[in-house]
Amino acid sequence: QHSSGLKPMLGRAALLVGCSTVAAAFAPVAPSRPLHLIPAGARSFLSAAARFGLPMAAAHPAKTCDVRRFMGDVSAQAGKVSVEDVLKDPKFPPEWPYSAADFRRQDESDDQVFYAQPRLVAHIDGKAIASLTEYYKKEIGAKSDILDICSSWISHFPEDFPKTMGKRVGLGMNEFELKENKQLTEYVVRNLNNDPVFPFPDASFDVVTCVVSIDYLNKPLEVFKEAARVLKPGGKFILSQSNRMFPTKAIQIWLNTNDVEHVFIIGSYFHYSGVFAPAKAVDISPGKSGFSIMPSDPMYIIQGEKK
């Protein structure tokens, strides 16, 4: 039995009608990132995108919540503070500090159009993926039922999860990508920016994951509350974040802040949801302890447990 809208995985042969050409063009033989999936620090892309006529709500960065004034000593130690330090003793303001302007995007056209074309590509490099997979292996207990939100054609789970875990459900935007995800047992197509309600019963999962996608959600508080609703007591919400994104679809506050501040923002989502224990942050970036000729994408975990 499947929930309303829940579709069983049909295997690689079950392609969408009319997508055979697209499947060939996006065959995941040698994954690579789209050219416009740039590091968050590459702000000059925004002005370039405007010149090339991408649909944007604003040509210049808008003013957003100044999270630095809430970070106290952490901001004062810029360049010295570790990711782990950010959420050790956060000074969140008494009330939700964000406004609608913080969650606007440069491109406010229908997300369904933007994500209609399948992208069977890797959004982070191989080393970062390996670090995330290893973290899942250590952190997710056997027989766990897992919900992967903002899911795509790959969920970065360990290869043995089909044997060691329970159901693995994907919630994402593109049906073709979800069909291609061999790590899922079921999936639902849903645009969380239009409808942030998860189509699952209360307390139906042990773990919820979200890989490098929280920066695209314009209703994060609702999404975090929904994650808690579908989690069992003590269940884990594991978010992973790097420094790459589709900038025209990222929320404005993300464009105006750096990696450390991103961790603080995600930690604040956990806090203001009111349904999670204090979140923790972990830097699992490959080779962070030493020099590397071929540096990897950074990889940060922000994780909370349902109260």
Side-chain angles (χ1 to χ4, degrees), residues 82-256:
S82 70
V83 165
E84 286 83 356
D85 291 332
V86 176
L87 298 180
K88 282 183 177 178
D89 186 25
K91 300 296 189 292
F92 298 123
E95 298 181 356
W96 178 254
Y98 308 114
S99 69
D102 295 315
F103 302 107
R104 294 193 183 108
R105 284 90 51 80
Q106 297 288 331
D107 176 5
E108 287 287 9
S109 63
D110 189 350
D111 290 337
Q112 203 68 46
V113 175
F114 183 85
Y115 293 104
Q117 183 182 45
R119 295 179 174 89
L120 303 190
V121 296
H123 296 271
I124 47 178
D125 65 28
K127 292 180 180 179
I129 290 173
S131 288
L132 178 58
T133 300
E134 184 64 22
Y135 186 84
Y136 283 157
K137 183 178 181 180
K138 295 177 180 178
E139 191 66 22
I140 301 177
K143 306 299 181 183
S144 291
D145 291 324
I146 306 170
L147 172 62
D148 186 33
I149 67 169
C150 304
S151 191
S152 181
W153 71 282
I154 187 170
S155 295
H156 309 310
F157 297 146
E159 291 183 1
D160 64 349
F161 266 27
K163 297 179 180 179
T164 62
M165 296 296 158
K167 63 185 177 183
R168 299 167 309 284
V169 182
L171 188 64
M173 288 281 293
N174 186 288
E175 186 166 16
F176 181 83
E177 293 177 4
L178 293 167
K179 278 178 177 284
E180 290 292 290
N181 192 329
K182 294 181 178 181
Q183 296 175 312
L184 300 179
T185 55
E186 306 159 283
Y187 69 84
V188 176
V189 177
R190 175 149 304 191
N191 180 352
L192 292 176
N193 283 339
N194 286 345
D195 182 4
V197 177
F198 296 2
F200 310 108
D202 296 356
S204 52
F205 295 96
D206 300 287
V207 178
V208 176
T209 59
C210 181
V211 180
V212 297
S213 297
I214 195 64
D215 44 319
Y216 303 124
L217 297 180
N218 61 15
K219 298 179 180 66
L221 195 60
E222 292 90 332
V223 168
F224 273 64
K225 289 180 178 180
E226 278 296 288
R229 181 185 63 78
V230 302
L231 280 170
K232 300 171 186 176
K236 301 174 182 178
F237 189 11
I238 304 174
L239 291 105
S240 53
Q241 199 61 42
S242 189
N243 66 350
R244 295 184 177 272
M245 61 178 173
F246 296 109
T248 59
K249 281 297 183 181
I251 57 175
Q252 189 64 54
I253 195 171
W254 213 260
L255 304 179
N256 293 358

